[in-house]
Structure formats: C-alpha cells, structure tokens
Amino acid sequence: MADPAMSVSPYWELTFDADGDVDQAECDRLLREVRQRGVGDLIVFSHGWNSRRAGATQLYSRFFAPIPKLAPKARIGYVGVIWPSMEFPDQPVPDFPHTPAAVAGPTAAATAPALDDDTRHTLLDAFPGNATLIDQIARMLDQQPPQDAELEEFGRLVRTLVEVVPPGPQAQFGADTLAGGLPQDELRMLAVGCAAEVCDQFAQALEQLAAPQPPGATAEFTLPNPWKGARELLRQAAYYAMKRRAGTVGERGLGPAIGRLAGVAPEVRVHLVGHSFGGRLVSFALRGLPEGVHSVKSVTLLQGAFSHYAFASRLPDDARTGGVLQGQQNRVDGPLVCCYSHFDSALGTIYPLASRMADDDRSFAAFDIGRVLGDKWGAMGHDGVQAVPGTLALTLAEALDSPLPTSGCVNVDACAVVCHGGAPSGAHSDIVHPELARVVLAAGRIGRPTAATASPV
C-alpha cells in the first residue's frame, strides 16, 4: 500500500545514524521487496543539511511527483535517504523546507533569543558533551558585548567546540579538512586575533545579500553589527560537523547498502540524487561501493554544497594534490550530472567566503565580496564541476533536448528554473521543478533505450 504522505509508489526509506549505520529492518525490507515489485530503475535521493525526517519526506514527495507521468512505461522504485543532518533554523545554507524560525519575520527575530531551545539541542547533537560551552556561547550572542576582545573570546569558545574530532568512524571523513588531527579549516578561521575580523566580514556579506546594490551603484559605507557575523561563525562550525557526517553516511552507509542491493538484485539500475550536502553524501557513496559493483547508472547533484574541485585529479594551485573524490566519477556506469545556478547566493557568497577565510592567513580586510564568485573556493552548486578534463557544459534546455553522454561529468546550468529565493540563501533550495526531475531521468536514461542503442553526445 502506498504511503499517503508520498506521491509515488513503491517508495522506501533508508535511515542512517551519524556513523553511517543503516536501519537494518528498513534495509532488509528494501532488499526483499525491490525484486518482488519488479523494479527496474531505483532512484535514491538524499536531502542535505537542515532537514528533519518530515521535511525530507515532503521534499522527496514533491520532487518525485511528476516522474511517473514523465516515464510512464519505466518500472521505477524510489528511496528517500534519511540521515541526522542537524537543523539550524535560519542558517544560510538551508534545505527545503524552511523552518518556522526562518520565516517568522524580523519582529520575531528581534525578540527571540539568539539560540532557541531547538538550536541548542541540535548543537548538542552535533557536539555532544558540550552543554556548558554551548550555554556560554548562547549568552554571548544574547548579550553582544561591544568590545573586540569579547568577539575574540567568542571565537575561542567556538574553536574549543569544534577542535575535538568525533571518535569512531566520523573521524576519517574530515580528511579533506584536517591537518595534524585537528580541523584545519575551523582552526584557521578561528586563529587567535582573527575572530573579530572574521565576524565583521561575515556581517558585511550577510548585509550585502540582504540589500544588494543595483549594477553601477555605489554602496553607502556602513558598519554592520559584527555579532550577526558571530552567529554565522557558529553556523560554520556546525557546517563542518555536518560535512564530516555527510561523508561518513555516504561512504560507510549508502555505498555498502547499494553493494548489498547489487548482490540480491543485480539487474536493478540505481540512480543517485543529492541536494546540497546530500550531493556530498551520494558522491561519497561512490567511494563506499564494493569492488565489482557497477549498478550505479547515474548521479545527479542538485546545488551541491561541496568544493567544485572535489572530483579533480589535480588542483589548479597545487598539481601534486587532487580533490577528495578524485576519479570517483569513474565508479558511475553512466554520467555524473551537476546542476548549478548562479542565483544560489548561499553557495555563491557565504560558502566561498568561509572557505577562503579558512584557507587564507592574509588579512581579511581587503576581501572583495564581489570577486568571490569565480575563485578557487567555489561550490559545486554555484558553478559546476571544475578541473575535470572532458566535462561537458550544457544549458538546461540543451540537457533536456538531446541524449546526455554515457559517461563522464556534465555541468548543467539550471538557472532558468533555479532562480527563486530571498536573502541570504537565494535559490539554494529552489529545486522542486519537473525540469530537474527530467534531468534525473535523462541522466539515467530512464524510460529511454540504454547502452547499446543510445548514442553519446
């Protein structure tokens, strides 16, 4: 029987904990029923940061809804990945849907505490055993003392919060952000003497996103409240915790689960879809595939919130170093399609600003927000896969008008539909469109001829 909360059937959920361990009952049910239901193509979708189960299920239902009519003859099954992604109300890299705290409006925001109970609980989940420290951070955000020394103390507290890597499986999944066993990105951003300056820069970026200047206009010089930037600094700490977790769940959880599925139903073609941090999760699942498993036939990334150099074999500024996922696109028996949009201001401004601050020991004062968009700290969902030879670049119309390649990376500029959303996140969560569902079908050749009869672009 179809789930009344879900628009499609058959639909299953796979729930993972923070260490990537799957709910065995759910996994066993999927393995048992997928062949019974005669599924030929299985679309596996992962939500990103800031989604609870109900919100994630709602996203899946809305995104999947047009697919049965778009591919009426295909035997499609659907999986929604549920992982503990935290929920930081009003944070600027959101996932659908917004929480009540994020849409309550300026009056509610002015009277609410800087960290409400829900946010405290989610911080405790991300940083267990730190209740006293989180209370100290919350008090400083409420009081907003004006001295730079207090901002430096705030930075010290946040540094203390993030400098201990979680024990167990999650530790290794900070590998692209770790140095000497400590989270290098956070430590650089929170270096002694830098916190006040970093908070100022975040506050300026948020103000510019909230009130953008028209082309050619001269912005009036203002001094935004640095404590708005301090709150953003705390969000970035949560960001890195969820970054580790997404990698953990992908490689230790989803990848092996797909391997088990291939063992019992090798004929089922799997298509991975990820939004925001969910894009990172499904990409790390490729690293977790057992040897010899070739059942993943496509990957579609929607506004992926991770480095646009993740798949690069060589970084432009360091030929000796590759991306954390270098070569993993070759584990896909089909294309890896990255949908991006320059209207995604969360990934176009906040993400690279944080990354640059984490990776640059020069003064932040000369940082030009307007120049951040094309530099080395960019995100996949803002300008696509970078530094992977042979990557094809298409508009959304081009991607939908002709067959996609049968392998390799494909960048699809989706700004024609991914274009709505207010400050500070812009269009980051504007992904529920039938055109994007069609991209998923096109990437996997779902409902179309396969391999022998399809021609590469």
Side-chain angles (χ1 to χ4, degrees):
M1 182 180 294
D3 183 342
M6 181 50 55
S7 61
V8 292
S9 180
Y11 170 78
W12 298 271
E13 287 185 346
L14 285 179
T15 302
F16 298 90
D17 67 16
D19 290 333
D21 294 323
V22 69
D23 182 309
Q24 284 300 328
E26 290 181 346
C27 189
D28 290 345
R29 181 187 171 214
L30 170 65
L31 298 178
R32 182 176 65 251
E33 294 181 2
V34 71
R35 298 194 76 179
Q36 295 175 356
R37 303 294 294 267
V39 171
D41 292 279
L42 189 69
I43 302 175
V44 181
F45 196 153
S46 174
H47 64 84
W49 191 15
N50 208 37
S51 288
R52 295 180 180 178
R53 179 183 290 270
T57 302
Q58 186 181 4
L59 168 62
Y60 300 150
S61 183
R62 292 186 62 198
F63 188 89
F64 290 150
I67 290 179
K69 289 184 178 180
L70 292 171
K73 295 183 179 180
R75 295 174 293 112
I76 303 175
Y78 307 84
V79 173
V81 173
I82 306 295
W83 61 286
S85 64
M86 188 175 172
E87 184 170 25
F88 206 129
D90 87 338
Q91 52 85 26
V93 185
D95 290 293
F96 179 88
H98 291 295
T99 62
V103 297
T107 302
T111 58
L115 293 182
D116 60 22
D117 287 343
D118 285 344
T119 305
R120 289 176 189 239
H121 289 151
T122 52
L123 284 170
L124 281 171
D125 175 67
F127 305 105
N130 286 283
T132 301
L133 187 57
I134 291 170
D135 285 343
Q136 288 178 277
I137 289 170
R139 280 196 299 272
M140 294 195 77
L141 285 172
D142 282 334
Q143 294 168 0
Q144 300 189 9
Q147 299 86 0
D148 279 359
E150 298 297 332
L151 283 167
E152 294 298 337
E153 172 63 9
F154 179 84
R156 186 191 69 79
L157 294 175
V158 175
R159 176 188 172 101
T160 302
L161 189 66
V162 303
E163 67 183 356
V164 178
V165 177
Q170 293 185 66
Q172 63 177 299
F173 293 93
D176 52 333
T177 59
L178 295 183
L182 296 177
Q184 181 171 327
D185 289 346
E186 295 95 318
L187 294 181
R188 285 184 179 178
M189 191 185 300
L190 299 170
V192 175
C194 291
E197 201 165 4
V198 171
C199 291
D200 279 334
Q201 288 293 324
F202 275 132
Q204 289 179 40
L206 291 170
E207 186 169 272
Q208 289 186 32
L209 289 172
Q213 296 291 321
T218 301
E220 181 181 350
F221 179 76
T222 59
L223 290 174
N225 182 354
W227 282 99
K228 292 182 179 179
R231 183 178 173 84
E232 180 57 36
L233 189 63
L234 177 60
R235 277 191 284 251
Q236 293 303 319
Y239 167 92
Y240 287 107
M242 292 305 103
K243 180 179 181 179
R244 283 194 298 263
R245 190 173 290 181
T248 306
V249 174
E251 185 167 337
R252 292 195 72 253
L254 183 57
I258 294 170
R260 290 182 61 191
L261 175 64
V264 300
E267 73 283 2
V268 174
R269 306 170 72 248
V270 177
H271 310 278
L272 301 180
V273 183
H275 172 231
S276 189
F277 262 170
R280 178 179 171 86
L281 189 154
V282 299
S283 297
F284 269 77
L286 299 175
R287 277 202 339 190
L289 289 176
E291 289 297 322
V293 171
H294 304 288
S295 58
V296 176
K297 303 301 180 181
S298 68
V299 174
T300 305
L301 307 176
L302 305 173
Q303 303 310 116
F306 59 115
S307 172
H308 55 195
Y309 293 132
F311 295 99
S313 57
R314 296 290 182 269
L315 301 184
D317 62 334
D318 185 357
R320 300 166 300 176
T321 305
V324 68
L325 294 169
Q326 58 178 300
Q328 292 301 317
Q329 68 272 18
N330 299 324
R331 299 299 310 273
V332 185
D333 189 22
L336 183 146
V337 179
C338 176
C339 295
Y340 68 94
S341 171
H342 68 270
F343 290 111
D344 187 336
S345 52
L347 298 184
T349 299
I350 296 298
Y351 175 92
L353 176 57
S355 298
R356 175 164 180 157
M357 287 179 172
D359 194 44
D360 195 341
D361 57 4
R362 294 171 294 173
S363 171
F364 304 132
F367 184 69
D368 180 356
I369 300 296
R371 294 176 56 192
V372 75
L373 304 182
D375 66 18
K376 71 176 182 178
W377 297 277
M380 192 85 58
H382 186 260
D383 58 5
V385 173
Q386 302 294 314
V388 176
T391 297
L392 183 65
L394 300 173
T395 66
L396 181 59
E398 290 169 339
L400 296 177
D401 285 346
S402 58
L404 293 177
T406 56
S407 63
C409 294
V410 182
N411 285 332
V412 176
D413 185 347
C415 69
V417 295
V418 182
C419 56
H420 300 100
S425 61
H428 184 69
S429 294
D430 185 24
I431 63 164
V432 181
H433 297 284
E435 293 87 351
L436 297 184
R438 288 175 60 196
V439 170
V440 172
L441 297 176
R445 284 179 164 72
I446 302 174
R448 294 185 180 185
T450 57
T453 57
S455 301
V457 173

